[in-house]
Amino acid sequence: MSSSASTSLPFAASEMGRNSLSRTFIVYTLGLFAVLGIIFIGILTKITWDASHARAIRVTEAFFQATKRPFERAIWTVNADATLQLIRGLESLDVVEKVWVETPDTGNFGDPLADDRRQSALSYTLNSPSTILHKDMIGQVFIMIDRNSISYEIISTVGLIVTAIIAYLLVLAFVIRSIFHRLIGLPLSEIVAYLSTPRLIEDPPTEALMPGRADEIGILASSLQSMVQRRHLDLQKIQEYQTNLEELVTHRTEQLKLVQEELIQADNLAALGSLVAGVSHELNTPLGNALMAATTIKDSATHLDDELERQTLSKEALENEVARISETASIIEKTLARARELVGNFRQVAVDRQSEKKRAFNFDHIIRETIATLQPTLQKTPFKLELDLDGDQVIDSYPGAVSQLVSNFVENAVKHAYEGKEHGTIRLSSSIENRSKGAGAAGRTIVFKCRDDGVGIPDKNLKKVFEPFFTTKFGKGGSGLGMAICYQLATEALNGTISVSSKVGHGTEFTVEIPVTEPQKKKAHITTTTKVH
C-alpha cells in the first residue's frame, strides 16, 4: 500500500525527511539539552575556578607560614642569598607564578611586577625577629598566583566533562530517535501512506490499518479508517441520491412540459371560446336585421297576393311594394355581408390558431382580422384601441402565432395595465426596418409594438414577465402563461425576438422583431390535358 501511495504524496521523500517529526523532536530536545549543558558548564567552571583559586591560596599561605621565620631572619640579617633561596622555593610551587620582597631599608629582592598586576598579588608582612623593637615591619612578601596553571587544570576538568556530555547527548539522540521512529515515526508514515492512497474514498482498503495497537496512535489510525469508511458510505449515498435526483428531475420536467402544453392548449381553447362568444354576440345584430328584413319581404309578398286575389291591385301600390322589397333586400344583403365578414374573420383566425401550418399572409391583415374578433370584448371595456400599421408586407410564416401574439398583448393590457384606472389607450403599431446594408429581404425586419399608458411594471417584476406561471393576479383569473406563450411564439414559431420596457406610472411597451421571409415564387407548370369524348 505504501509503495503505491508514495507516488501520490504531495511532497518529495527528501523533503519529508528534512521536515520529519522525529528530526524536529531531536533538534528541539538536543537544543534544550545543549542550552542546559552550556549553563551547567558555565556554573561548573565558575565553581571549579573559585575552588582551585582558593586551594592555591591555601597552599601558598601554608607554605609561606612555614618559611616566614626564615624570611624574617634573612631580611633582618640582610642575607640576600638566603632571601633569594626562599623566594625560589616559593616559586617552585605549581600555583605560584612570581615572588618578590620589598623592604624599606635594604631594597627589593626578586623582580617586582608592574603596577597593573601588582594589585592582584598576595602580600604578607614581615616583622623584625628582635623582641626589643616590638616586631616592627621590616618588609613585605608579594606572591602572584599562577592563573595559567589553574586555567589549565580547569580546562582539563571541564573539557573532560564537556566531552562526556557531548557523547551522552549523541547516544541519547540516537536512542531517542530510534525509539521515536519505531513508536511514532513509522506508524505516522503508514497513516500518511494510507491517506495518500489513490481513490481512497471511492474504494477504501478493507484490511485494518494498525491491528492490535491500542495506544494513541492505534486509536488515531482506527478513527481515521472509520472516518474514511463513513465518507465512503456517504459518497455512495450521494451518488445514489444524485442518480435518483437526475431521474426524478427528468421525470418532473417531462410532467411539467406536459402540464404546460396542456395549460397552453387550454388557454388557446379559452381564447377561442372568448372569440366564439364575442363573434356570436356580434352576429346577433346583422342576423336580427336580416330576419326582420326577411319578415318585411314576406309581409309585402302576402299583401300583394291578397290584392291580386281581390283584383284590387293598382299600379301605384305595386310600385310601392316593389320599392319596399328592393330596399329590404338591400338591407338583407348588407347585413349578411357583415355577418359573412365576421364569420370569415373568425374562421380564418380560428383555423390559424389551431393550425401550425406555415403559409404566406399579409402581416397587417392578420392584425386587423384579429382585432375584428376582439372588438366585441373591447366594446365592453372603457379602453380604446388605436392602430398604426405600416407593416404591409407579405411574409411566409405562421399567421396563427401572430394572431395569438396580438390577442395576448391586448388581453394582457386590458387585465393588468389599467388596474385602478377608468380609461386608457392601447396602441398597436407595425413597421418594416432594414437591419443590414444590403437591400435583400434577408436584412428586413418587421417591428411590431404594443404600448399602453397604464400603471407600468415594477423593476423587480420586469425580469420575470416572460417566466411561465408568473402573474400578479394569481387566484384572480391570471394563469401566468400569457406572456410565456408570447415569448415562445416570438422566439420559436416566428424565429424573432421579444423585449419589454416599462416605467411605473407611464405604461409598458412590448416589442417583437420578426425577420421578413418572403414567400417563394411558384414556378409555372405547363400541363397538357386530353379531353375524352
Side-chain angles (χ1 to χ4, degrees):
M1 180 180 65
S2 60
S3 60
S4 62
S6 61
T7 58
S8 61
L9 290 175
F11 40 78
S14 58
E15 183 180 357
M16 181 178 177
R18 290 192 302 268
N19 299 325
S20 63
L21 186 60
S22 60
R23 179 168 181 167
T24 304
F25 179 77
I26 293 299
V27 169
Y28 279 101
T29 303
L30 293 184
L32 178 60
F33 274 106
V35 172
L36 295 177
I38 292 173
I39 296 174
F40 171 75
I41 291 171
I43 296 173
L44 178 62
T45 303
K46 181 67 171 63
I47 294 174
T48 305
W49 174 269
D50 293 340
S52 298
H53 191 266
R55 182 172 58 82
I57 292 174
R58 289 195 303 270
V59 171
T60 303
E61 286 183 350
F63 195 82
F64 173 76
Q65 293 298 329
T67 60
K68 182 178 180 181
R69 291 293 182 182
F71 258 116
E72 290 175 345
R73 285 193 299 269
I75 295 299
W76 176 254
T77 61
V78 193
N79 189 348
D81 294 335
T83 302
L84 293 175
Q85 187 176 2
L86 291 172
I87 290 174
R88 285 193 295 272
L90 288 174
E91 288 180 348
S92 65
L93 296 176
D94 293 336
V95 296
V96 176
E97 177 183 359
K98 190 73 174 175
V99 179
W100 73 93
V101 179
E102 294 180 0
T103 64
D105 298 327
T106 60
N108 299 330
F109 297 93
D111 298 325
L113 295 177
D115 292 338
D116 55 345
R117 298 188 62 189
R118 180 188 180 92
Q119 297 177 357
S120 60
L122 300 176
S123 64
Y124 301 97
T125 302
L126 297 176
N127 296 319
S128 173
S130 176
T131 57
I132 302 174
L133 297 178
H134 303 289
K135 296 185 180 180
D136 291 339
M137 183 185 73
I138 60 175
Q140 279 186 311
V141 178
F142 292 90
I143 302 174
M144 176 62 68
I145 300 299
D146 189 1
R147 294 177 177 271
N148 293 330
S149 62
I150 297 175
S151 299
Y152 178 77
E153 181 182 358
I154 293 174
I155 290 174
S156 300
T157 304
V158 173
L160 182 61
I161 295 174
V162 169
T163 303
I165 291 176
I166 292 175
Y168 169 75
L169 290 178
L170 292 177
V171 174
L172 181 64
F174 177 77
V175 173
I176 291 177
R177 189 180 186 281
S178 300
I179 295 175
F180 190 93
H181 182 69
R182 180 178 179 82
L183 296 180
I184 299 177
L186 288 178
L188 290 181
S189 299
E190 292 183 9
I191 292 176
V192 171
Y194 174 78
L195 294 178
S196 302
T197 303
R199 299 180 56 83
L200 177 63
I201 303 300
E202 293 83 354
D203 187 18
T206 56
E207 64 273 8
L209 183 57
M210 291 183 183
R213 185 158 182 171
D215 57 359
E216 290 82 355
I217 299 296
I219 295 174
L220 175 62
S222 178
S223 300
L224 287 176
Q225 196 164 21
S226 299
M227 183 182 68
V228 170
Q229 294 293 339
R230 290 195 299 269
R231 296 292 80 80
H232 174 66
L233 295 177
D234 294 340
L235 180 62
Q236 288 182 336
K237 291 181 180 179
I238 291 174
Q239 292 175 347
E240 183 179 355
Y241 290 156
Q242 185 177 4
T243 303
N244 296 337
L245 182 61
E246 290 177 355
E247 295 178 355
L248 182 62
V249 168
T250 302
H251 181 64
R252 291 290 187 269
T253 303
E254 294 177 356
Q255 289 184 338
L256 183 61
K257 288 182 179 179
L258 292 176
V259 172
Q260 185 174 351
E261 291 176 359
E262 292 176 358
L263 290 175
I264 292 174
Q265 186 67 21
D267 190 76
N268 292 337
L269 294 176
L272 285 177
S274 178
L275 289 179
V276 170
V279 170
S280 63
H281 180 271
E282 192 71 12
L283 283 175
N284 282 336
T285 300
L287 291 179
N289 293 336
L291 179 61
M292 184 176 61
T295 303
T296 302
I297 292 176
K298 181 179 179 181
D299 292 340
S300 297
T302 302
H303 177 70
L304 289 176
D305 187 53
D306 292 340
E307 291 292 329
L308 286 175
E309 287 183 359
R310 292 194 299 269
Q311 297 182 356
T312 57
L313 180 63
S314 63
K315 181 180 179 181
E316 181 180 1
L318 179 60
E319 291 176 351
N320 291 336
E321 292 298 328
V322 170
R324 182 182 177 189
I325 291 173
S326 177
E327 181 179 359
T328 305
S330 177
I331 293 174
I332 292 175
E333 182 182 6
K334 291 179 180 180
T335 55
L336 291 180
R338 172 61 179 164
R340 183 184 64 182
E341 181 182 0
L342 290 174
V343 172
N345 290 339
F346 171 73
R347 182 180 63 81
Q348 186 62 54
V349 171
V351 170
D352 289 338
R353 291 282 185 91
Q354 294 300 313
S355 174
E356 296 182 356
K357 293 183 179 180
K358 193 176 185 180
R359 68 177 179 87
F361 63 93
N362 187 288
F363 189 82
D364 286 353
H365 290 179
I366 289 295
I367 295 178
R368 289 190 177 94
E369 289 177 358
T370 304
I371 296 302
T373 61
L374 296 176
Q375 282 296 341
T377 302
L378 293 175
Q379 289 175 357
K380 299 178 183 179
T381 67
F383 311 120
K384 295 188 300 180
L385 182 65
E386 294 182 356
L387 299 179
D388 182 16
L389 304 179
D390 194 18
D392 191 11
Q393 172 71 40
V394 177
I395 61 175
D396 188 18
S397 188
Y398 297 93
V402 177
S403 176
Q404 191 164 359
L405 270 176
V406 176
S407 298
N408 287 6
F409 281 149
V410 174
E411 291 175 0
N412 182 74
V414 171
K415 290 180 180 179
H416 301 282
Y418 298 102
E419 188 174 1
K421 290 191 174 184
E422 296 181 355
H423 58 83
T425 302
I426 304 171
R427 188 172 182 270
L428 301 180
S429 63
S430 65
S431 61
I432 298 178
E433 297 181 2
N434 290 324
R435 295 300 174 89
S436 66
K437 296 181 180 179
R444 302 169 66 195
T445 302
I446 294 179
V447 180
F448 172 67
K449 296 183 179 181
C450 175
R451 178 174 180 80
D452 62 71
D453 54 356
V455 297
I457 303 175
D459 292 338
K460 64 178 182 179
N461 295 336
L462 199 59
K463 297 180 180 180
K464 304 178 182 179
V465 168
F466 299 115
E467 293 182 3
F469 309 109
F470 174 76
T471 178
T472 57
K473 291 189 175 182
F474 187 77
K476 299 179 181 179
S479 64
L481 290 173
M483 291 300 99
I485 294 174
C486 289
Y487 181 84
Q488 183 179 4
L489 293 174
T491 57
E492 297 181 8
L494 301 177
N495 196 25
T497 61
I498 184 172
S499 61
V500 58
S501 61
S502 180
K503 188 175 181 181
V504 177
H506 293 79
T508 304
E509 182 179 74
F510 290 92
T511 302
V512 179
E513 297 183 2
I514 305 171
V516 174
T517 304
E518 295 183 352
Q520 297 180 355
K521 296 181 179 179
K522 296 182 179 180
K523 296 181 180 180
H525 296 278
I526 300 176
T527 58
T528 303
T529 58
T530 303
K531 293 183 180 180
V532 180
H533 298 281

Short mmCIF file of all heavy atoms in Angstrom, two decimals, residues 443-488:
data_model
loop_
_atom_site.label_atom_id
_atom_site.label_comp_id
_atom_site.label_asym_id
_atom_site.label_seq_id
_atom_site.Cartn_x
_atom_site.Cartn_y
_atom_site.Cartn_z
N GLY A 443 -32.33 41.08 -44.86
CA GLY A 443 -31.95 42.10 -43.90
C GLY A 443 -33.11 42.94 -43.42
O GLY A 443 -32.89 43.93 -42.72
N ARG A 444 -34.33 42.59 -43.77
CA ARG A 444 -35.51 43.37 -43.39
C ARG A 444 -36.21 42.70 -42.21
O ARG A 444 -36.26 41.48 -42.10
CB ARG A 444 -36.47 43.51 -44.57
CG ARG A 444 -35.83 44.18 -45.80
CD ARG A 444 -36.70 44.06 -47.00
NE ARG A 444 -37.92 44.82 -46.83
CZ ARG A 444 -39.00 44.68 -47.60
NH1 ARG A 444 -39.01 43.77 -48.57
NH2 ARG A 444 -40.07 45.41 -47.39
N THR A 445 -36.74 43.56 -41.35
CA THR A 445 -37.37 43.07 -40.12
C THR A 445 -38.68 43.81 -39.89
O THR A 445 -38.75 45.03 -40.06
CB THR A 445 -36.45 43.29 -38.91
OG1 THR A 445 -35.21 42.62 -39.14
CG2 THR A 445 -37.07 42.75 -37.64
N ILE A 446 -39.71 43.05 -39.52
CA ILE A 446 -40.98 43.66 -39.11
C ILE A 446 -40.92 43.91 -37.62
O ILE A 446 -40.66 42.99 -36.83
CB ILE A 446 -42.17 42.75 -39.46
CG1 ILE A 446 -42.31 42.61 -40.98
CG2 ILE A 446 -43.45 43.30 -38.86
CD1 ILE A 446 -43.45 41.71 -41.39
N VAL A 447 -41.16 45.16 -37.22
CA VAL A 447 -41.15 45.55 -35.82
C VAL A 447 -42.60 45.80 -35.40
O VAL A 447 -43.24 46.74 -35.89
CB VAL A 447 -40.28 46.79 -35.56
CG1 VAL A 447 -40.30 47.15 -34.08
CG2 VAL A 447 -38.85 46.54 -36.03
N PHE A 448 -43.10 44.96 -34.52
CA PHE A 448 -44.48 45.09 -34.02
C PHE A 448 -44.43 45.49 -32.56
O PHE A 448 -43.71 44.87 -31.77
CB PHE A 448 -45.22 43.77 -34.19
CG PHE A 448 -46.57 43.75 -33.54
CD1 PHE A 448 -47.61 44.54 -34.00
CD2 PHE A 448 -46.81 42.93 -32.44
CE1 PHE A 448 -48.85 44.53 -33.39
CE2 PHE A 448 -48.03 42.91 -31.83
CZ PHE A 448 -49.07 43.71 -32.30
N LYS A 449 -45.18 46.53 -32.20
CA LYS A 449 -45.16 47.05 -30.84
C LYS A 449 -46.58 47.15 -30.29
O LYS A 449 -47.51 47.49 -31.03
CB LYS A 449 -44.51 48.43 -30.77
CG LYS A 449 -43.04 48.43 -31.15
CD LYS A 449 -42.43 49.82 -31.00
CE LYS A 449 -40.94 49.81 -31.35
NZ LYS A 449 -40.33 51.15 -31.17
N CYS A 450 -46.69 46.85 -29.01
CA CYS A 450 -47.94 47.04 -28.28
C CYS A 450 -47.64 47.90 -27.06
O CYS A 450 -46.90 47.48 -26.18
CB CYS A 450 -48.54 45.69 -27.86
SG CYS A 450 -50.03 45.83 -26.83
N ARG A 451 -48.22 49.11 -27.04
CA ARG A 451 -47.92 50.05 -25.96
C ARG A 451 -49.21 50.47 -25.28
O ARG A 451 -50.24 50.70 -25.94
CB ARG A 451 -47.18 51.27 -26.51
CG ARG A 451 -46.88 52.31 -25.44
CD ARG A 451 -46.04 53.45 -25.97
NE ARG A 451 -45.77 54.41 -24.92
CZ ARG A 451 -44.85 54.29 -23.98
NH1 ARG A 451 -44.08 53.21 -23.98
NH2 ARG A 451 -44.68 55.21 -23.05
N ASP A 452 -49.14 50.58 -23.95
CA ASP A 452 -50.28 51.08 -23.19
C ASP A 452 -49.81 52.21 -22.30
O ASP A 452 -48.61 52.38 -22.06
CB ASP A 452 -50.90 49.94 -22.35
CG ASP A 452 -49.92 49.38 -21.32
OD1 ASP A 452 -49.61 50.09 -20.35
OD2 ASP A 452 -49.47 48.22 -21.51
N ASP A 453 -50.75 53.00 -21.82
CA ASP A 453 -50.43 54.12 -20.93
C ASP A 453 -50.95 53.83 -19.53
O ASP A 453 -51.52 54.70 -18.87
CB ASP A 453 -51.01 55.42 -21.47
CG ASP A 453 -52.52 55.31 -21.75
OD1 ASP A 453 -53.07 54.19 -21.60
OD2 ASP A 453 -53.14 56.32 -22.11
N GLY A 454 -50.72 52.58 -19.09
CA GLY A 454 -51.24 52.13 -17.80
C GLY A 454 -50.28 52.39 -16.65
O GLY A 454 -49.46 53.31 -16.67
N VAL A 455 -50.37 51.52 -15.63
CA VAL A 455 -49.63 51.73 -14.38
C VAL A 455 -48.16 51.33 -14.49
O VAL A 455 -47.35 51.70 -13.66
CB VAL A 455 -50.31 50.96 -13.23
CG1 VAL A 455 -51.70 51.48 -12.99
CG2 VAL A 455 -50.36 49.45 -13.55
N GLY A 456 -47.79 50.55 -15.51
CA GLY A 456 -46.41 50.12 -15.65
C GLY A 456 -46.09 48.89 -14.82
O GLY A 456 -46.90 48.41 -14.02
N ILE A 457 -44.87 48.38 -14.98
CA ILE A 457 -44.40 47.18 -14.29
C ILE A 457 -43.21 47.55 -13.41
O ILE A 457 -42.27 48.17 -13.88
CB ILE A 457 -43.99 46.08 -15.30
CG1 ILE A 457 -45.15 45.75 -16.24
CG2 ILE A 457 -43.52 44.82 -14.57
CD1 ILE A 457 -44.77 44.78 -17.34
N PRO A 458 -43.21 47.18 -12.13
CA PRO A 458 -42.05 47.46 -11.27
C PRO A 458 -40.79 46.74 -11.77
O PRO A 458 -40.87 45.70 -12.45
CB PRO A 458 -42.48 46.94 -9.90
CG PRO A 458 -43.97 46.85 -9.96
CD PRO A 458 -44.32 46.56 -11.39
N ASP A 459 -39.65 47.30 -11.42
CA ASP A 459 -38.38 46.72 -11.87
C ASP A 459 -38.20 45.29 -11.37
O ASP A 459 -37.62 44.46 -12.06
CB ASP A 459 -37.21 47.59 -11.40
CG ASP A 459 -37.20 48.94 -12.11
OD1 ASP A 459 -37.79 49.03 -13.19
OD2 ASP A 459 -36.61 49.90 -11.57
N LYS A 460 -38.66 44.99 -10.15
CA LYS A 460 -38.46 43.65 -9.60
C LYS A 460 -39.25 42.59 -10.36
O LYS A 460 -38.90 41.41 -10.33
CB LYS A 460 -38.85 43.62 -8.12
CG LYS A 460 -40.33 43.91 -7.88
CD LYS A 460 -40.66 43.81 -6.39
CE LYS A 460 -42.16 44.05 -6.15
NZ LYS A 460 -42.50 43.93 -4.71
N ASN A 461 -40.34 43.00 -11.06
CA ASN A 461 -41.15 42.05 -11.83
C ASN A 461 -40.83 42.07 -13.31
O ASN A 461 -41.27 41.19 -14.05
CB ASN A 461 -42.63 42.36 -11.64
CG ASN A 461 -43.10 42.15 -10.22
OD1 ASN A 461 -42.50 41.39 -9.46
ND2 ASN A 461 -44.15 42.84 -9.82
N LEU A 462 -40.04 43.07 -13.76
CA LEU A 462 -39.82 43.23 -15.20
C LEU A 462 -39.04 42.05 -15.77
O LEU A 462 -39.30 41.62 -16.90
CB LEU A 462 -39.06 44.54 -15.45
CG LEU A 462 -39.13 45.10 -16.87
CD1 LEU A 462 -40.57 45.36 -17.28
CD2 LEU A 462 -38.31 46.38 -16.99
N LYS A 463 -38.08 41.50 -14.99
CA LYS A 463 -37.29 40.38 -15.49
C LYS A 463 -38.05 39.05 -15.45
O LYS A 463 -37.58 38.06 -16.00
CB LYS A 463 -36.01 40.25 -14.67
CG LYS A 463 -35.08 41.46 -14.80
CD LYS A 463 -33.82 41.27 -13.97
CE LYS A 463 -32.89 42.47 -14.09
NZ LYS A 463 -31.65 42.30 -13.29
N LYS A 464 -39.20 39.03 -14.77
CA LYS A 464 -39.97 37.79 -14.64
C LYS A 464 -41.18 37.75 -15.55
O LYS A 464 -41.97 36.81 -15.47
CB LYS A 464 -40.43 37.61 -13.19
CG LYS A 464 -39.31 37.63 -12.17
CD LYS A 464 -39.87 37.50 -10.76
CE LYS A 464 -38.79 37.57 -9.70
NZ LYS A 464 -39.36 37.47 -8.33
N VAL A 465 -41.34 38.76 -16.41
CA VAL A 465 -42.57 38.87 -17.20
C VAL A 465 -42.77 37.65 -18.08
O VAL A 465 -43.89 37.13 -18.21
CB VAL A 465 -42.53 40.16 -18.05
CG1 VAL A 465 -43.64 40.15 -19.10
CG2 VAL A 465 -42.67 41.37 -17.15
N PHE A 466 -41.68 37.14 -18.68
CA PHE A 466 -41.81 36.05 -19.63
C PHE A 466 -41.62 34.67 -18.98
O PHE A 466 -41.54 33.68 -19.70
CB PHE A 466 -40.78 36.21 -20.76
CG PHE A 466 -40.96 37.49 -21.55
CD1 PHE A 466 -39.98 38.46 -21.52
CD2 PHE A 466 -42.10 37.71 -22.29
CE1 PHE A 466 -40.13 39.64 -22.24
CE2 PHE A 466 -42.26 38.87 -23.01
CZ PHE A 466 -41.29 39.85 -22.99
N GLU A 467 -41.53 34.63 -17.67
CA GLU A 467 -41.41 33.33 -16.99
C GLU A 467 -42.78 32.65 -16.93
O GLU A 467 -43.79 33.30 -16.66
CB GLU A 467 -40.87 33.51 -15.58
CG GLU A 467 -39.43 34.00 -15.53
CD GLU A 467 -38.92 34.12 -14.11
OE1 GLU A 467 -39.69 33.76 -13.18
OE2 GLU A 467 -37.77 34.55 -13.92
N PRO A 468 -42.82 31.33 -17.16
CA PRO A 468 -44.11 30.62 -17.06
C PRO A 468 -44.68 30.70 -15.64
O PRO A 468 -43.94 30.65 -14.66
CB PRO A 468 -43.75 29.18 -17.44
CG PRO A 468 -42.47 29.28 -18.19
CD PRO A 468 -41.74 30.45 -17.62
N PHE A 469 -45.99 30.86 -15.57
CA PHE A 469 -46.76 30.86 -14.32
C PHE A 469 -46.46 32.07 -13.44
O PHE A 469 -46.80 32.07 -12.26
CB PHE A 469 -46.52 29.57 -13.52
CG PHE A 469 -46.72 28.32 -14.31
CD1 PHE A 469 -45.64 27.54 -14.66
CD2 PHE A 469 -47.98 27.93 -14.73
CE1 PHE A 469 -45.80 26.38 -15.41
CE2 PHE A 469 -48.16 26.77 -15.48
CZ PHE A 469 -47.07 26.01 -15.82
N PHE A 470 -45.81 33.08 -13.98
CA PHE A 470 -45.61 34.31 -13.20
C PHE A 470 -46.78 35.26 -13.48
O PHE A 470 -47.05 35.62 -14.63
CB PHE A 470 -44.30 35.01 -13.57
CG PHE A 470 -44.15 36.35 -12.89
CD1 PHE A 470 -43.82 36.42 -11.55
CD2 PHE A 470 -44.37 37.52 -13.60
CE1 PHE A 470 -43.69 37.64 -10.93
CE2 PHE A 470 -44.25 38.75 -12.98
CZ PHE A 470 -43.91 38.81 -11.64
N THR A 471 -47.50 35.63 -12.44
CA THR A 471 -48.62 36.56 -12.57
C THR A 471 -48.79 37.32 -11.26
O THR A 471 -48.48 36.80 -10.18
CB THR A 471 -49.92 35.82 -12.93
OG1 THR A 471 -51.00 36.76 -12.99
CG2 THR A 471 -50.25 34.76 -11.90
N THR A 472 -49.23 38.54 -11.37
CA THR A 472 -49.53 39.35 -10.18
C THR A 472 -50.97 39.18 -9.72
O THR A 472 -51.38 39.78 -8.73
CB THR A 472 -49.25 40.83 -10.46
OG1 THR A 472 -50.03 41.25 -11.59
CG2 THR A 472 -47.77 41.05 -10.76
N LYS A 473 -51.72 38.37 -10.48
CA LYS A 473 -53.13 38.13 -10.12
C LYS A 473 -53.39 36.65 -9.99
O LYS A 473 -54.35 36.11 -10.54
CB LYS A 473 -54.04 38.75 -11.17
CG LYS A 473 -54.03 40.27 -11.17
CD LYS A 473 -55.10 40.84 -12.07
CE LYS A 473 -55.18 42.35 -11.99
NZ LYS A 473 -56.24 42.92 -12.83
N PHE A 474 -52.50 35.98 -9.26
CA PHE A 474 -52.69 34.55 -9.06
C PHE A 474 -53.93 34.33 -8.20
O PHE A 474 -54.09 34.91 -7.13
CB PHE A 474 -51.46 33.95 -8.37
CG PHE A 474 -51.51 32.46 -8.26
CD1 PHE A 474 -51.23 31.67 -9.35
CD2 PHE A 474 -51.84 31.85 -7.07
CE1 PHE A 474 -51.25 30.30 -9.26
CE2 PHE A 474 -51.87 30.48 -6.97
CZ PHE A 474 -51.58 29.71 -8.07
N GLY A 475 -54.80 33.44 -8.66
CA GLY A 475 -56.05 33.19 -7.96
C GLY A 475 -57.15 34.17 -8.29
O GLY A 475 -58.26 34.07 -7.77
N LYS A 476 -56.86 35.15 -9.16
CA LYS A 476 -57.87 36.14 -9.56
C LYS A 476 -58.10 36.10 -11.06
O LYS A 476 -58.42 37.11 -11.67
CB LYS A 476 -57.42 37.54 -9.15
CG LYS A 476 -57.22 37.70 -7.64
CD LYS A 476 -56.75 39.10 -7.32
CE LYS A 476 -56.53 39.27 -5.83
NZ LYS A 476 -56.05 40.64 -5.51
N GLY A 477 -57.90 34.93 -11.66
CA GLY A 477 -58.13 34.80 -13.09
C GLY A 477 -56.87 34.81 -13.92
O GLY A 477 -56.92 34.60 -15.12
N GLY A 478 -55.71 35.06 -13.31
CA GLY A 478 -54.46 35.09 -14.06
C GLY A 478 -53.77 33.74 -14.02
O GLY A 478 -53.56 33.18 -12.95
N SER A 479 -53.41 33.21 -15.20
CA SER A 479 -52.74 31.91 -15.28
C SER A 479 -51.23 32.02 -15.30
O SER A 479 -50.52 31.06 -15.01
CB SER A 479 -53.19 31.16 -16.54
OG SER A 479 -52.79 31.86 -17.70
N GLY A 480 -50.72 33.19 -15.66
CA GLY A 480 -49.28 33.36 -15.73
C GLY A 480 -48.65 32.78 -16.97
O GLY A 480 -47.44 32.61 -17.03
N LEU A 481 -49.48 32.44 -17.98
CA LEU A 481 -48.96 31.83 -19.21
C LEU A 481 -49.02 32.76 -20.41
O LEU A 481 -48.45 32.44 -21.45
CB LEU A 481 -49.72 30.55 -19.53
CG LEU A 481 -49.49 29.37 -18.59
CD1 LEU A 481 -50.44 28.24 -18.93
CD2 LEU A 481 -48.05 28.90 -18.69
N GLY A 482 -49.72 33.88 -20.30
CA GLY A 482 -49.91 34.74 -21.47
C GLY A 482 -48.61 35.23 -22.07
O GLY A 482 -48.34 35.03 -23.26
N MET A 483 -47.76 35.84 -21.25
CA MET A 483 -46.50 36.36 -21.76
C MET A 483 -45.50 35.24 -22.04
O MET A 483 -44.65 35.37 -22.93
CB MET A 483 -45.91 37.36 -20.77
CG MET A 483 -46.70 38.65 -20.66
SD MET A 483 -46.81 39.56 -22.22
CE MET A 483 -48.45 39.10 -22.80
N ALA A 484 -45.58 34.13 -21.31
CA ALA A 484 -44.71 32.99 -21.61
C ALA A 484 -45.03 32.42 -22.99
O ALA A 484 -44.12 32.05 -23.75
CB ALA A 484 -44.87 31.91 -20.53
N ILE A 485 -46.33 32.36 -23.33
CA ILE A 485 -46.72 31.91 -24.67
C ILE A 485 -46.23 32.89 -25.72
O ILE A 485 -45.75 32.50 -26.79
CB ILE A 485 -48.25 31.74 -24.73
CG1 ILE A 485 -48.69 30.61 -23.79
CG2 ILE A 485 -48.71 31.47 -26.14
CD1 ILE A 485 -50.20 30.45 -23.68
N CYS A 486 -46.34 34.20 -25.44
CA CYS A 486 -45.84 35.20 -26.38
C CYS A 486 -44.35 35.03 -26.63
O CYS A 486 -43.88 35.14 -27.77
CB CYS A 486 -46.13 36.61 -25.85
SG CYS A 486 -47.87 37.07 -25.88
N TYR A 487 -43.59 34.79 -25.56
CA TYR A 487 -42.15 34.59 -25.72
C TYR A 487 -41.86 33.35 -26.57
O TYR A 487 -40.99 33.38 -27.45
CB TYR A 487 -41.51 34.44 -24.34
CG TYR A 487 -40.01 34.27 -24.38
CD1 TYR A 487 -39.18 35.38 -24.46
CD2 TYR A 487 -39.45 33.00 -24.36
CE1 TYR A 487 -37.79 35.23 -24.50
CE2 TYR A 487 -38.07 32.84 -24.42
CZ TYR A 487 -37.25 33.96 -24.48
OH TYR A 487 -35.89 33.80 -24.54
N GLN A 488 -42.61 32.28 -26.32
CA GLN A 488 -42.40 31.05 -27.09
C GLN A 488 -42.77 31.25 -28.55
O GLN A 488 -42.05 30.81 -29.45
CB GLN A 488 -43.23 29.92 -26.47
CG GLN A 488 -43.03 28.57 -27.14
CD GLN A 488 -43.85 27.48 -26.48
OE1 GLN A 488 -44.62 27.75 -25.56
NE2 GLN A 488 -43.67 26.25 -26.92
#
